[in-house]
C-alpha cells in the first residue's frame, strides 16, 4: 500500500485524483451556471441531518465516496446565497473568479502571518488599493480579517491604545472609564466589540436616529457633555455607512468634524456601504469617509468576493502596529532570508496563522475592475428603488422605511394590525421553505418588516417581481385562512 515507506498524504495515483478533481470543478461550474433553475433554499430533512452524524472516521474512505456525500448531504441543503433570489440579511453572491481563486490559494496553502513572500505582497496591494478607493493616505495600514465584526473589534482596540497609550497593553484598562458612541441602528457587532475589549457594552452610548436613520448629532453632542461631566472619557465615535436594517448612512463628514474637534477616534463601520465609493453616483453619499481614522468593510458582501473577506484600514499605521506588534524570539525579523519583510500582518491584528484571503480579493478586483463592481452596486440600488415604487403601488403592501441604498423593508398589511407581525413572519418562512425566495425580517418602529437586501450581483427585476408576487399570494392565502 505504502510506497517505499512513505506515509505522506499525496495521492497514490495522481491521475485518478486529477480526473476526480476535474469532475468536481465541472460540477461546481454546473451548479453556478444553473442556479436560477433551482430552489433558493431547502430545509435539511431530519433523515439527512441524522446521516451527518456518524462515528469519527478511524479508517479512511475513497475521496470519490466522500465527494458523493458532499453532493448528497451538503449541496442540496446549503444556504443558497449564490441564488439570485437570496435577499436575506446582507449576503454576497460570490463569483466564479472568487471560486477559482480559492482553489488557487488552497494549492499554495500559504500562511500569511508574516515572512517575506509574494502572497503578503498581494495582501499589501489589496490594502493599498482599498486605501486609495477610500481616499486614505497610501501609507495607511490594514489587515484582511474574517469580516467586519473582527475589523470593528480591531479598530476599537486601536482607538483604546491611541487614547490610553501603549502601556494599556500591560496595565489593562485599570478602571479607565472609556465611552464610545454609535447610533441605535449600528450593527450589534459594535456593541459586542466594546464588550470584548473589556469595557462592558454599556460603555457604548447608543444615540437615537433621525427620520432618515442617521445618528442625531444634537443628541450625540449632549451625550458627550454629560459623559465628560461625569468623568467618563469619550474615546470613539463609530459612524455607519449603510446600516444593516435600512442602508442609512450617517453624516460622515459632520462626524469627522466633530471627532476632530473633540479629539476622539472616528471609526466607520462600512461593512457594505463603504463600497459606494466605487460608483460615481453613490460616492457623494459617503462623503467624509476619507477623513475617518479607521474603516471596517467587507469584500464578501457588495464586492461579491467569496466568504470570508473583511478588511480594517487604519490611517495611522504606527497607532495600528502599537496595538498589536509584540516581540517573540520565534517570530524575529531579519533583513534577509524568508524572515525579512517587516512589518508582518501579525503586527496588525490578533491572528498569527492566516490564509491567503487576499488572492480572491485581488483576482476579483483585477478581473472585473472597480468600475464594473461599482455598476453592480449601483444596479442593486436602482432595483431597490424600483421595488419600493412597486410596493407603494400595491394596496396590500406597505413600505416601512425609506430606501436609502439597496435595502427594501416592507410588509403585507391586509389584515388586523395585531396579527401583522405574525402574518409577515409566516410569509417569510413560507417563501423560504418553498424555495421561492429568501428575504429576512427585522423590526422597525415596533413593526415586523420583510427585508430584502439587494447585494447579490445576480438579482434581476424578475426576481424582485417573484418576491412581491410571492408575498402577495402567501399573504392572501394566510389572511383568508380560517383561524
Ligand atoms: C454585515 C455587517 C457587519 C458584520 O460583518 P461580518 O462580515 O458579518 O462580520 C457589521 N456591520 C454592518 C453594517 C454589516 O452589514
Amino acid at each position: 500500500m505504502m510506497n517505499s515507506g512513505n506515509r505522506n498524504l499525496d495521492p497514490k495515483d495522481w491521475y485518478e485524483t486529477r480526473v476526480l478533481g476535474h469532475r468536481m470543478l465541472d460540477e461546481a461550474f454546473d451548479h453556478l451556471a444553473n442556479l436560477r433553475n433551482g430552489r433558493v433554499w431547502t430545509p435539511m430533512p431530519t433523515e439527512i441531518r441524522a446521516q451527518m452524524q456518524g462515528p469519527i472516521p478511524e479508517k479512511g474512505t475513497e475521496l470519490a465516496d466522500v465527494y458523493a456525500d458532499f453532493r448528497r448531504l451538503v449541496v442540496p441543503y446549503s444556504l443558497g446565497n449564490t441564488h439570485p433570489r437570496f435577499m436575506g440579511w446582507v449576503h454576497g453572491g460570490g463569483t466564479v473568479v472568487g471560486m477559482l481563486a480559492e482553489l488557487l490559494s488552497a494549492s499554495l496553502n500559504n500562511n500569511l502571518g508574516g515572512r517575506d513572500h509574494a502572497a503578503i505582497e498581494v495582501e499589501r496591494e489589496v490594502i493599498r488599493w482599498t486605501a486609495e478607493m477610500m481616499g486614505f493616505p497610501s501609507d495607511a495600514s490594514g489587515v484582511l480579517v474574517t469580516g467586519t465584526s473582527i475589523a470593528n473589534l480591531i479598530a476599537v482596540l486601536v482607538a483604546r491604545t491611541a487614547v490610553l497609550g501603549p502601556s494599556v497593553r500591560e496595565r489593562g484598562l485599570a478602571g479607565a472609564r472609556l465611552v464610545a458612541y454609535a447610533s441605535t441602528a449600528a450593527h450589534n457587532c459594535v456593541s459586542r466589540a466594546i464588550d470584548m475589549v473589556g469595557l462592558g457594552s454599556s460603555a457604548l452610548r447608543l444615540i437615537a436616529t433621525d427620520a432618515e436613520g442617521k445618528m442625531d448629532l444634537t443628541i450625540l453632542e449632549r451625550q458627550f457633555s454629560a459623559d465628560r461631566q461625569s468623568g467618563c472619557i469619550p474615546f470613539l465615535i463609530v459612524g455607519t455607512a449603510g446600516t444593516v436594517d435600512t442602508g442609512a448612512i450617517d453624516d460622515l463628514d459632520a462626524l469627522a468634524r466633530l471627532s476632530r474637534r473633540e479629539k476622539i477616534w472616528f471609526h466607520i463601520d462600512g461593512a457594505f456601504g463603504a463600497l459606494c465609493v466605487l460608483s460615481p453616483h453613490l460616492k457623494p453619499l459617503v462623503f467624509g469617509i476619507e477623513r475617518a481614522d479607521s474603516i471596517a468593510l467587507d469584500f464578501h458582501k457588495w464586492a461579491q468576493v467569496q466568504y470570508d473577506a473583511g478588511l480594517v484600514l487604519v490611517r495611522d499605521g504606527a497607532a495600528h502596529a502599537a496595538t498589536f506588534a509584540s516581540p517573540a524570539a520565534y517570530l524575529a525579523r531579519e533583513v534577509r532570508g524568508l524572515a525579512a519583510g517587516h512589518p508582518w500582518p501579525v503586527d496588525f491584528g490578533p491572528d498569527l496563522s492566516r490564509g491567503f484571503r487576499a488572492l480572491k480579493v485581488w483576482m476579483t478586483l483585477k478581473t472585473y475592475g472597480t468600475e464594473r463592481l461599482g455598476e453592480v452596486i449601483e444596479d442593486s440600488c436602482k432595483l431597490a428603488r424600483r421595488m419600493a415604487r412597486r410596493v407603494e403601488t400595491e394596496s396590500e403592501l406597505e413600505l416601512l422605511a425609506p430606501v436609502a441604498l439597496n435595502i427594501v423593508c416592507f410588509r403585507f398589511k391586509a389584515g388586523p394590525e395585531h396579527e401583522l407581525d405574525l402574518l409577515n413572519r409566516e410569509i417569510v418562512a413560507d417563501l423560504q421553505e418553498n424555495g421561492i425566495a429568501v428575504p429576512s425580517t427585522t423590526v422597525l418602529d415596533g413593526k415586523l418588516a420583510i427585508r430584502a437586501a439587494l447585494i447579490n450581483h445576480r438579482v434581476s427585476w424578475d426576481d424582485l417581481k417573484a418576491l412581491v408576487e410571492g408575498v402577495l399570494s402567501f399573504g392572501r392565502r394566510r389572511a383568508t385562512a380560517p383561524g
Side-chain angles (χ1 to χ4, degrees):
M1 197 174 111
M2 241 59 79
N3 52 26
S4 60
N6 187 345
R7 290 173 181 250
N8 81 34
L9 300 175
D10 280 336
K12 284 197 298 288
D13 180 344
W14 282 90
Y15 180 76
E16 186 187 311
T17 307
R18 175 186 299 237
V19 170
L20 176 59
H22 287 184
R23 202 180 97 214
M24 289 178 182
L25 193 56
D26 280 340
E27 288 173 353
F29 271 108
D30 287 344
H31 175 74
L32 287 179
N34 297 310
L35 282 173
R36 188 169 284 284
N37 307 326
R39 297 165 57 94
V40 186
W41 173 72
T42 302
M44 200 171 184
T46 318
E47 321 82 80
I48 297 284
R49 224 178 274 264
Q51 286 179 45
M52 277 280 197
Q53 295 163 16
I56 297 175
E58 286 180 357
K59 304 281 180 232
T61 308
E62 286 299 323
L63 176 60
D65 296 335
V66 178
Y67 175 57
D69 282 348
F70 167 78
R71 299 273 301 168
R72 192 171 57 86
L73 301 174
V74 180
V75 175
Y77 314 107
S78 70
L79 179 62
N81 53 311
T82 47
H83 196 289
R85 288 196 300 281
F86 190 103
M87 303 145 189
W89 302 275
V90 177
H91 277 45
T95 67
V96 164
V97 172
M99 177 183 87
L100 295 173
E102 288 276 63
L103 183 69
L104 298 178
S105 84
S107 74
L108 297 179
N109 189 34
N110 284 169
N111 180 343
L112 276 80
R115 293 157 288 270
D116 195 17
H117 53 110
I120 301 259
E121 286 306 330
V122 172
E123 179 157 344
R124 288 183 182 137
E125 178 81 331
V126 165
I127 293 163
R128 276 193 299 269
W129 285 342
T130 314
E132 193 178 329
M133 281 177 214
M134 298 298 151
F136 265 39
S138 57
D139 61 352
S141 60
V143 70
L144 284 169
V145 290
T146 41
T148 291
S149 301
I150 296 298
N152 282 337
L153 173 63
I154 290 176
V156 171
L157 285 164
V158 178
R160 172 215 61 172
T161 311
V163 66
L164 296 179
S167 65
V168 66
R169 295 177 63 194
E170 282 170 54
R171 275 188 294 112
L173 291 164
R177 292 170 62 198
L178 301 185
V179 286
Y181 306 83
S183 91
T184 49
H187 195 281
N188 86 331
C189 67
V190 176
S191 145
R192 290 172 64 211
I194 298 290
D195 157 22
M196 285 188 279
V197 304
L199 287 167
S201 58
S202 66
L204 179 66
R205 310 295 198 223
L206 291 177
I207 307 298
T209 53
D210 63 18
E212 289 181 333
K214 296 172 193 277
M215 196 189 311
D216 185 318
L217 300 182
T218 316
I219 300 178
L220 174 64
E221 296 218 42
R222 220 180 294 145
Q223 185 70 47
F224 276 156
S225 315
D227 284 332
R228 284 224 158 100
Q229 261 164 29
S230 67
C232 293
I233 310 169
F235 82 112
L236 169 70
I237 299 177
V238 180
T240 303
T243 62
V244 67
D245 269 343
T246 67
I249 298 171
D250 286 333
D251 185 340
L252 304 179
D253 193 54
L255 288 177
R257 238 178 297 129
L258 198 74
S259 57
R260 208 156 291 181
R261 192 188 74 205
E262 301 283 332
K263 300 197 168 46
I264 299 174
W265 190 275
F266 178 37
H267 172 70
I268 294 177
D269 175 347
F272 64 98
L275 288 171
C276 283
V277 298
L278 297 186
S279 151
H281 292 110
L282 299 174
K283 190 171 178 174
L285 296 175
V286 293
F287 179 66
I289 200 169
E290 69 287 350
R291 297 174 66 193
D293 292 300
S294 53
I295 303 175
L297 63 96
D298 281 323
F299 289 105
H300 56 220
K301 291 176 175 169
W302 242 351
Q304 315 296 333
V305 172
Q306 253 70 0
Y307 283 91
D308 43 35
L311 174 69
V312 62
L313 202 61
V314 180
R315 176 181 302 278
D316 177 354
H320 192 180
T323 306
F324 293 101
S326 181
Y330 45 83
L331 294 175
R333 316 303 156 83
E334 304 293 345
V335 292
R336 50 186 286 258
L338 188 48
H342 176 80
W344 292 353
V346 64
D347 301 326
F348 297 105
D351 293 316
L352 174 55
S353 292
R354 356 186 358 265
F356 193 5
R357 280 188 194 103
L359 186 67
K360 58 194 172 186
V361 182
W362 188 73
M363 287 183 67
T364 299
L365 291 170
K366 278 172 84 82
T367 306
Y368 296 108
T370 54
E371 283 180 19
R372 175 106 181 266
L373 294 171
E375 283 161 13
V376 167
I377 287 169
E378 212 173 288
D379 286 348
S380 41
C381 294
K382 281 186 196 149
L383 282 171
R385 283 196 298 272
R386 189 167 173 195
M387 163 104 177
R389 288 195 297 273
R390 170 77 200 270
V391 166
E392 283 175 322
T393 60
E394 290 288 346
S395 60
E396 293 156 286
L397 300 179
E398 178 184 17
L399 199 63
L400 290 181
V403 173
L405 222 50
N406 60 330
I407 301 177
V408 186
C409 290
F410 66 108
R411 67 175 178 170
F412 184 81
K413 66 165 186 191
E417 179 66 42
H418 69 279
E419 286 175 10
L420 291 183
D421 282 5
L422 179 60
L423 176 60
N424 281 281
R425 194 174 281 125
E426 299 282 8
I427 292 171
V428 167
D430 287 342
L431 288 164
Q432 293 174 352
E433 288 178 357
N434 285 282
I436 294 169
V438 172
S440 56
T441 63
T442 190
V443 176
L444 296 173
D445 297 329
K447 297 172 186 162
L448 189 107
I450 301 177
R451 179 169 158 286
L454 312 184
I455 295 281
N456 189 331
H457 60 103
R458 301 185 177 98
V459 66
S460 69
W461 178 238
D462 282 344
D463 298 311
L464 296 180
K465 278 199 298 200
L467 172 66
V468 171
E469 279 151 25
V471 168
L472 288 172
S473 97
F474 283 115
R476 285 170 192 150
R477 212 176 303 170
R478 287 203 170 263
T480 57

